Amino acid sequence: MRVVVPGSFDPITNGHVDVVERVARRVDHVVVAVLVNPAKQGTFSVDERMDLIRASLDHLDNVAVDAFEGLLVDWCNANGIGVIAKGLRAVADFEYELQMAQMNARIGDIETMFVPASPSSSYLSSSLVKEVARFGGTVTGTVPAVVEDALLARLAESD
Amino acid sequence: MRVVVPGSFDPITNGHVDVVERVARRVDHVVVAVLVNPAKQGTFSVDERMDLIRASLDHLDNVAVDAFEGLLVDWCNANGIGVIAKGLRAVADFEYELQMAQMNARIGDIETMFVPASPSSSYLSSSLVKEVARFGGTVTGTVPAVVEDALLARLAESD
Amino acid sequence: MRVVVPGSFDPITNGHVDVVERVARRVDHVVVAVLVNPAKQGTFSVDERMDLIRASLDHLDNVAVDAFEGLLVDWCNANGIGVIAKGLRAVADFEYELQMAQMNARIGDIETMFVPASPSSSYLSSSLVKEVARFGGTVTGTVPAVVEDALLARLAESD
Amino acid sequence: MRVVVPGSFDPITNGHVDVVERVARRVDHVVVAVLVNPAKQGTFSVDERMDLIRASLDHLDNVAVDAFEGLLVDWCNANGIGVIAKGLRAVADFEYELQMAQMNARIGDIETMFVPASPSSSYLSSSLVKEVARFGGTVTGTVPAVVEDALLARLAESD
Amino acid sequence: MRVVVPGSFDPITNGHVDVVERVARRVDHVVVAVLVNPAKQGTFSVDERMDLIRASLDHLDNVAVDAFEGLLVDWCNANGIGVIAKGLRAVADFEYELQMAQMNARIGDIETMFVPASPSSSYLSSSLVKEVARFGGTVTGTVPAVVEDALLARLAESD
Amino acid sequence: MRVVVPGSFDPITNGHVDVVERVARRVDHVVVAVLVNPAKQGTFSVDERMDLIRASLDHLDNVAVDAFEGLLVDWCNANGIGVIAKGLRAVADFEYELQMAQMNARIGDIETMFVPASPSSSYLSSSLVKEVARFGGTVTGTVPAVVEDALLARLAESD
C-alpha cells in the first residue's frame, strides 16, 4: 500500500513525525505532501518546509517528500496513490476530516485512513508551537531539533 | 499490509460490508475477526455470525473470517497482523476507539487505522437493525439479503 | 402541524415540560407518547406516568397523552402524525438522536425536529432527579410539584 | 406553522435543498432568508443567491425567498414568523447553533427547531463545494444543476 | 490558593462575572488578567476593559485586575501564581482549552482548573453580545449594567 | 482550599494518581473519597480500595482517604469541603461531569473544578486496565506497583 500524508507542515512537529513513523512501519511507501496555498503567507516557504521534513524523517527509508497545489485527489490520481493517511488528535479534527474524507471519496475515489495521535503529542500543533516560541517559551521536545533551530532563527529575523 | 477488522458482527450490516470492501481494495489481506464473549448471549452464535460474514463477503478474494477470545493484540501477534482497521461513525465512537487504540499500541505494539463510515451507512448498527426487525419494521437494504433472511427466521423462532 | 414528543417519562421533569410547552405554542397539536418497554421495570407504571404527564401539562389545551409499544414510526403512521419532536440537551444526545432520526426517516417516512433544551434545564434527566431524591436531596424545582409528591411517596414505599 | 430557514446560501447546495424540501412537507409556509452581510464579499451577490434559491426550489409551492440584514429575530417578528428551522450536520454545528438558538429565544421569543441532515448530504457545505469547483473537481450532484452552471461560469470569470 | 482567570474580556459578560464570583468564594486570591494582543483591534482598549472588570467585580474583596502580553505562564511565574482557572461552556471550548492546558503544564509547570459555566450563562460570549447590541437587540441581563452602558455608548460613537 | 476527589477507584490507576498529585500541590488538603455502591459488586471491596489508595499516595502529606454513600454533596457539607475536583479525559466525560456539576451546585452549593488528564494517562480507566489484566496483558505502568500486585492476585483467585 502506498499512502500520502498531506498537511501544511509550517513547520513539521514531533506529532507529525510520530504519525509518519507509525504509518511508514506498516505500509510500502509514504509521501509526505505539503499543501501549497498561494493565498497564505507561511512562516516557512514550501521549499523550506520540505527541507525540514526531509531532515526530520531521513531515518525512514520508505518516505518521500513532495508538494501539491489544488485538489489532493488530483495529485493522488496523478501519482498512483489511493490512500490518504491523517493524524487525528481531537473530536474537532475528526468532524472536519470526516467531511473532507467523504468529499474526497466522492470526487476522486480516494480512501482516507485516520491514525490516532500518540497520547504524548495529542496537544501539539504547528501554530501552538510557533506561538510559544514567538514569546520566548521553550519548544524543545515539541519539534525535531533541526526545526527548533530553524524556528528560532526565523523568529530572530522578524524581530 | 495485512489488517484485521474486529467486531461483534451480531449480525454483519451493510455498514460493516462497506468498510471491509473499502479496506480490502487497498491492502493485501483482510481478516474479519469475531469477538467471542462467553459472558454475553448473542442473537447469533459465533459460528452463525462467521457464516453470515462469509456469505456477505464472498465477492472479495482477499478476505478471510476468524474468531478470537481474549486480547485482540494477542491474536494479532499470533497471526502476524500489525494493523487493526475500524469503521468510525460518530464522535462517541471516536473517543472510545481512540482509548482502545492507544491501549493496544501500548500493550501489543499494534497500530489502529480508522476508516470513516460512508454517509449512507453512518446511522447503521447491528443493535438498531435488530430492534427495527423485532418490531416488524423493514430492514431491507440495511443488511445483506442473506442476513435479512437469517434475522427474520431467528426472530420468528423466538416468538 | 401535528407532532409527537416521545420518551420514557419515568417521571416527567421540568425539562420535558419546557420542551412540550414550547412546541405546543408553535404547532396545532402535540401528543406526548410514553414508550412501553415490557423488559424494563420502571419507577412508575405506564399508567402512572401518563397521569403525571396529564397533571403536569393540563394548562396546555392542544396536548394529549398516549402510550406506544414497538416502533414509534408505526404509531405515527397509525395516528396520522408525521413529525417527532425531541429535546436536545448535549452532544451525546445529539449523536444518538441523529442516528434514530435517520433510521426513522428511512423506515417510516417520519421527520424528526430537535428542540434545544432551555439553559436552565439542560442538566435535568429523570434518572438524575431520581438518584438525588433517593438519597434525600431536594428535587423541588426540577420536576412539577405533583411529580415531586409522587416520587417522594414512591421512594418512601420502597424503603 | 410558518418557519424561516436562514443562511448565507452562497450558493445553495443539495444539502440545503433537502432540508427545505423536508420542512416544506410538514409546515404551512417556509421562507428561505438570505443573510445580508455587507462586510463580507461573497461569490454571488444577494440577488444572485435569491435567484438560484428560487430556481432550485420552484417545485415547492409553499416556499418563498427573502433576504434580511441585522438580527434574524427582528425579521421574524416583523414577518409574523415564530420558528427558525436549521439543518444540523455535525456536533460542531450543534454547539454553535444551540448557542444562537438560546440567544434568539432570549432576545426575540423565537423558537429554533433543528432538522438533521440526510446521511447523503451530511458532508456538503457551500465553501467545500466552491473549493472543489475552483480546482476543477466535479461538483455534479452536490448542488442543483442551475447552481453548478452558475458556479462554473463565475469561476471562469474570475480566472 | 491564588489563581488567575485570563481572557480577552472585550467586554466582560455576566458569564465571566459568574465564573469569577464562584472561584473567588473558594480560593484566597483571584487575578483577572486581560490578554493584550497588539495585532487585534478590540471594541474596548485594554485600559477600558480593565476598568469595566473592576466596576463589575468591586463587590469581591479578593479579586484584582491586571493585563499581560506574551505567554500567560511567564506572567504566572513572575506573579507567583500556579493555577489558571477557566470557564468551560461547551465541548468545543473543552478541546481547545485542554490543548492549551497541556501545553502550559509542559512549558511553565502551571496547572489549569476548569469551572463549568452556570446553565443560565452557558450561551453567552462577548462576541455574541456585541453582535446583538450592534443590531439594536437588547443585551440587558447578559452583561453588567455598567458594561451595557459602555457598549451602547461605544456603538453610538461608531455609527 | 480543601477539595475532595471522588470516584469508584476499583482500583486506583496512574491516571488517578496523577490527578491527585497535581491537585495536592496546589491546595491545602485533599480527601480521596470512594463511592460506596451497595448495588454493585466490585473487583475490590471498599476497604481494599482505600488501602490501595493509601499505599499509592503515601508520598503526599496533605491527602486523606475516606468513603461515602449517598449524595456526595451531603458528605461535602458534613466534612466542611466546598470543592469537588474531577479529572477530565474526554468529551464524553465532560458532558456527564458537567451535568453532575450543575446538579451538585444546585442541590448542595458545592463547586466542581475539572483537572485535565495528563496526555500520558488520557486513555487509562480502571475497567480497561482490568480487562487487559484479565486476559493476561501487561498492565505495568498503568497502575501503581502495589495495585498491579493486588490485581494479579485477585484475578488468580477468581480463576
Side-chain angles (χ1 to χ4, degrees), chain B residues 16-40:
Chain B
H16 298 127
V17 170
D18 170 67
V19 165
V20 177
E21 283 177 343
R22 285 156 55 211
V23 171
R25 261 186 80 189
R26 308 297 181 175
V27 305
D28 300 310
H29 190 66
V30 177
V31 182
V32 179
V34 178
L35 169 63
V36 179
N37 184 348
K40 196 173 166 188

Side-chain angles (χ1 to χ4, degrees), chain C residues 1-2 22-23 25-28 81-83 88-91 94-95 98 101-102 105 109-119 122, chain D residues 1-2 22-23 25-28 81-83 88-91 94-95 98 101-102 105 109-119 122:
Chain C
M1 193 165 82
R2 295 159 46 83
R22 286 156 54 210
V23 171
R25 262 186 79 189
R26 308 296 181 176
V27 305
D28 300 309
I81 289 184
V83 177
L88 264 193
R89 290 170 304 180
V91 166
F94 167 65
E95 292 210 312
L98 180 62
Q102 293 177 334
D109 192 26
I110 300 295
E111 198 63 56
T112 303
M113 293 189 184
F114 296 114
V115 182
S118 291
S122 62
Chain D
M1 194 165 81
R2 294 158 46 84
R22 285 157 53 211
V23 171
R25 263 186 79 190
R26 309 297 181 177
V27 305
D28 301 310
I81 289 183
V83 177
L88 264 192
R89 289 170 305 179
V91 166
F94 167 65
E95 293 210 312
L98 181 61
Q102 292 176 335
D109 192 26
I110 301 295
E111 198 62 56
T112 304
M113 294 190 183
F114 295 115
V115 181
S118 291
S122 62

Side-chain angles (χ1 to χ4, degrees), chain A residues 37-90:
Chain A
N37 184 346
K40 195 173 167 190
Q41 170 79 19
T43 301
F44 294 98
S45 72
V46 170
D47 283 343
E48 288 170 332
R49 295 182 213 177
M50 293 174 71
D51 286 343
L52 290 173
I53 296 170
R54 279 188 206 100
S56 302
L57 298 177
D58 65 1
H59 57 297
L60 299 174
D61 285 340
N62 59 339
V63 174
V65 182
D66 202 348
F68 72 101
E69 194 171 345
L71 294 181
L72 178 55
V73 295
D74 290 340
W75 181 92
C76 286
N77 286 324
N79 286 271
I81 289 183
V83 177
I84 300 166
K86 290 283 293 183
L88 265 193
R89 289 170 305 179

Side-chain angles (χ1 to χ4, degrees), chain D residues 53-99:
Chain D
I53 296 169
R54 279 189 205 98
S56 303
L57 299 176
D58 65 1
H59 56 297
L60 300 173
D61 285 340
N62 59 338
V63 175
V65 182
D66 202 348
F68 72 100
E69 194 171 345
L71 294 181
L72 177 55
V73 295
D74 289 341
W75 180 92
C76 286
N77 286 324
N79 287 271
I81 289 183
V83 177
I84 301 166
K86 291 282 294 183
L88 264 192
R89 289 170 305 179
V91 166
D93 281 1
F94 167 65
E95 293 210 312
Y96 174 74
E97 296 295 347
L98 181 61
Q99 186 190 31

Side-chain angles (χ1 to χ4, degrees), chain E residues 85-99:
Chain E
K86 291 282 293 181
L88 264 193
R89 289 170 305 181
V91 166
D93 281 2
F94 167 65
E95 292 210 313
Y96 174 74
E97 295 295 347
L98 180 62
Q99 187 191 30

